[in-house]
Amino acid sequence: MDNLDRRAFLGITGAAAGATLAGMGVKATTPRGSTSLAPGDDHRGVACISSGNGRPATAKAFEMVMAGRDPIDAVVAGVNIVESDPDDMSVGYGGLPNEEGVVQLDSCCMHGPTHKAGAVACIEDIKNPASVALLVLKRTDHVMIVGEGAKRFALAHGFEAENLLTDRARRAWLRWKENANPNDDWLDADQMDFDPNENREDAAGPIPFTYGTINCSGVNENGDLASVTTTSGLSYKIPGRVGDSPIVGAGMFVDNAVGAAGATGRGEAVIQNCGAFSIVREMENGLSPTEACLAVMKRIADRTRQKRLLNERGEPNFGVTLYALRKDGAYGSAVMRGRGQFAVTTSAGTRREACMALYE
Ligand code: GLY
């Protein structure tokens, strides 16, 4: 199937892309005066993109790429900023813990020019798992190291072990644990004879919960690409659970001949649809970055069959956001529903742009 046939198969044809995507059930309209679905599809040149929590990451990565640094070092240095931020509860230090109150982190990265990847999963006590994944890539013949072995590998390389559970994350976990089951010996807020908020800051409001993650991809002026994804994963997960973020082809993938892609959100859905790999293949088949993200999002939606994961309209009730960066600097993103944003830095500066939504 050539590129034109492929686009026709998907119902995506040049200037009519928005209208024909609508025929797939994809609500997307082409901006006035453009044949592209989103402004990023028209961009060319050096660019770094990331999930919406990644503006410091794309700014740092772009600065390093422009200074001639390898894109893999640039994107990892970028996400290190977010990993080290105690206020981001979805990544690294300050991330929400597993059901036993232990922070377990996942990350993977990939270098386009060498087509090498590195990953760590379920690593504990190490604040910057993306840097450990990069060392797996650079200094071993392996792709993934997990758990205790990953921690020992990091310690051997001079990383310091530290408690990653901030007070804020610990309090969130304790509220989740107390309210998880009305029949256990931890009293739920409405079962307490005393003020449930007694001596607790941030005790009101919904209990924080996230599948949040950061993915960051970059391309330099030679068209060389790199990408990294790093996360604390699903909040209050079963210990040992691994999401899409450290899985090459799911949470992140790079093909230096085509582009880079990444994912955030419900990792199980991304793994089951080889999310990042599929986006890169769609770009190879001729879709723009935004079209490729929408096509893969549609595939995820169509293949969600479990009733508990569907809303009353039969659409997925969970969130996923997909990101794509093509070798020539075109970029795009799609969100399952609503008004997502992603971060981007180009020569025009650092900003957030709107993701294309599969469902309103
Ligand atoms: N996407 C992050 C996770 O599911 O762990």
Side-chain angles (χ1 to χ4, degrees), residues 106 211-213 231-234 241-245 263-268:
D106 297 336
Y211 276 99
T213 299
T231 190
S232 52
L234 171 66
R241 178 264 189 189
V242 171
D244 59 324
S245 301
T264 58
R266 182 180 159 79
E268 285 73 10

Side-chain angles (χ1 to χ4, degrees), residues 242-301:
V242 171
D244 59 324
S245 301
I247 299 188
V248 176
M252 179 276 333
F253 186 71
V254 179
D255 181 337
N256 213 49
V258 180
T264 58
R266 182 180 159 79
E268 285 73 10
V270 176
I271 293 170
Q272 285 162 174
N273 292 280
C274 299
F277 178 81
S278 301
I279 295 166
V280 172
R281 291 285 80 92
E282 294 295 2
M283 287 195 286
E284 185 177 45
N285 288 334
L287 298 192
S288 75
T290 308
E291 290 168 353
C293 290
L294 279 170
V296 173
M297 192 69 80
K298 182 75 166 70
R299 194 171 303 145
I300 291 173

Side-chain angles (χ1 to χ4, degrees), residues 26-27 264-265 290 293-294 297-298 301 318-323 332-342 353-360:
V26 177
K27 288 190 173 60
T264 58
T290 308
C293 290
L294 279 170
M297 192 69 80
K298 182 75 166 70
F318 53 82
V320 168
T321 309
L322 303 174
Y323 315 89
S333 173
V335 67
M336 182 67 78
R337 172 177 292 99
R339 296 174 186 275
Q341 289 192 318
F342 65 107
E353 292 188 10
C355 309
M356 195 63 71
L358 182 62
Y359 302 113
E360 301 262 300

Side-chain angles (χ1 to χ4, degrees), residues 7 19 21 26 32 71 79 112 153 155 167 175 198 248 255 283 291 310 317 324 338 348:
R7 289 165 74 98
L21 278 168
V26 177
R32 192 192 299 247
V79 299
F153 175 80
L155 295 176
D167 242 29
R175 284 178 69 206
E198 192 180 26
V248 176
D255 181 337
M283 287 195 286
E291 290 168 353
L310 297 168
N317 58 18

Side-chain angles (χ1 to χ4, degrees), residues 123-194:
I123 189 170
E124 296 177 11
D125 303 330
I126 304 292
K127 187 155 68 179
N128 296 119
S131 294
V132 187
L134 183 56
L135 281 171
V136 175
L137 182 157
K138 286 185 174 179
R139 303 190 74 93
T140 81
D141 190 38
H142 301 328
V143 169
M144 182 184 277
I145 305 180
V146 306
E148 187 56 29
K151 179 175 169 180
R152 288 210 297 269
F153 175 80
L155 295 176
H157 281 279
F159 285 76
E160 276 181 26
E162 54 193 305
N163 180 13
L164 303 182
L165 188 67
T166 57
D167 242 29
R168 184 170 169 228
R170 180 188 57 74
R171 286 194 298 267
W173 165 73
L174 204 52
R175 284 178 69 206
W176 169 82
K177 192 166 175 61
E178 286 176 344
N179 290 284
N181 181 353
N183 299 319
D184 64 16
D185 292 333
W186 297 78
L187 295 182
D188 291 20
D190 61 2
Q191 296 173 322
M192 292 182 194
D193 297 316
F194 300 89

